[in-house]
Amino acid sequence: MKRIIFAFLCILSLHNLANAQDDKFKALFVYNFTKYIEWPKHKQTGDFVIGVLGHSPIISELKSFTERKSVGSQKIVVEEILSSEDYTKYHIVYVPTKLSAQVADIVKQIKGKGVLVVTDKPGMAASLSAINFVKIDNQQKYEVNTAHLTEEGVKHSQTLVLLGIAVNN
């Protein structure tokens, strides 16, 4: 019985370690997206704000990656979004899988306002978000929908598309 419990705990620990590693990669990707996106002029002053919907381990990873970093002359600030609010104040809104039901409402609110929506659920880039994380062959990758980038009012470098997986709606 002790061996079964020990094996279960080992498997659980490995699963948690893999999820933590995924969060690190996603946070690094989100930070690197800032290098391939150009926000409209009205978004190029003040702090560069990345919002994460709900409680998510990616918040601490993002804070770690973005500490003392900037986008142009804008200091990067990472905020947790705990309730429906004005999403237009953000530059990037990350929506984890468990809260993906809210993406449609967010996209309606931010359309054309220069906010990049990044999701983490299969099929979201094809239907709603501009960028969506996917795991392929046990590797973290991302899908990018250029039509959604345009609708959100941001310009992108072709490198963003070449490094990701192009998805069209």
Side-chain angles (χ1 to χ4, degrees):
M1 183 64 169
K2 287 182 182 180
R3 287 183 185 177
I4 292 172
I5 292 172
F6 179 73
F8 175 75
L9 290 174
C10 286
I11 291 170
L12 186 61
S13 293
L14 288 173
H15 176 73
N16 289 340
L17 184 61
N19 285 342
Q21 196 66 20
D22 283 349
D23 291 330
K24 282 182 193 259
F25 282 118
K26 290 174 190 174
L28 181 60
F29 276 119
V30 169
Y31 168 68
N32 282 322
F33 294 153
T34 66
K35 299 174 183 179
Y36 303 108
I37 301 282
E38 181 184 331
W39 276 263
K41 291 277 185 217
H42 74 277
K43 290 283 208 176
Q44 294 178 11
T45 59
D47 290 335
F48 185 96
V49 187
I50 300 172
V52 177
L53 193 60
H55 301 292
S56 175
I58 197 172
I59 293 170
S60 61
E61 298 297 340
L62 267 169
K63 286 182 178 182
S64 175
F65 277 115
T66 60
E67 189 177 19
R68 293 187 291 274
K69 295 217 171 56
S70 60
V71 176
S73 63
Q74 296 174 275
K75 175 186 165 199
I76 298 176
V77 175
V78 178
E79 294 182 0
E80 182 176 14
I81 305 169
L82 294 176
S83 62
S84 282
E85 57 180 77
D86 180 10
Y87 295 102
T88 61
K89 76 177 189 178
Y90 299 100
H91 291 77
I92 298 174
V93 174
Y94 171 77
V95 183
T97 303
K98 65 184 177 187
L99 297 171
S100 59
Q102 296 181 42
V103 174
D105 291 333
I106 294 169
V107 169
K108 281 181 198 170
Q109 187 183 125
I110 58 92
K111 194 170 190 169
K113 305 279 195 223
V115 180
L116 178 68
V117 176
V118 179
T119 54
D120 193 8
K121 182 178 179 185
M124 292 303 283
S127 63
L128 291 167
S129 66
I131 297 177
N132 182 61
F133 289 112
V134 291
K135 204 158 194 179
I136 299 173
D137 296 330
N138 231 10
Q139 290 186 339
Q140 195 64 59
K141 299 184 183 233
Y142 67 90
E143 302 169 322
V144 59
N145 187 318
T146 56
H148 292 164
L149 286 169
T150 302
E151 289 171 5
E152 291 173 5
V154 298
K155 296 178 184 174
H156 67 282
S157 126
Q158 200 54 29
T159 305
L160 178 72
V161 180
L162 292 173
L163 293 173
I165 301 164
V167 175
N168 295 319
N169 54 348

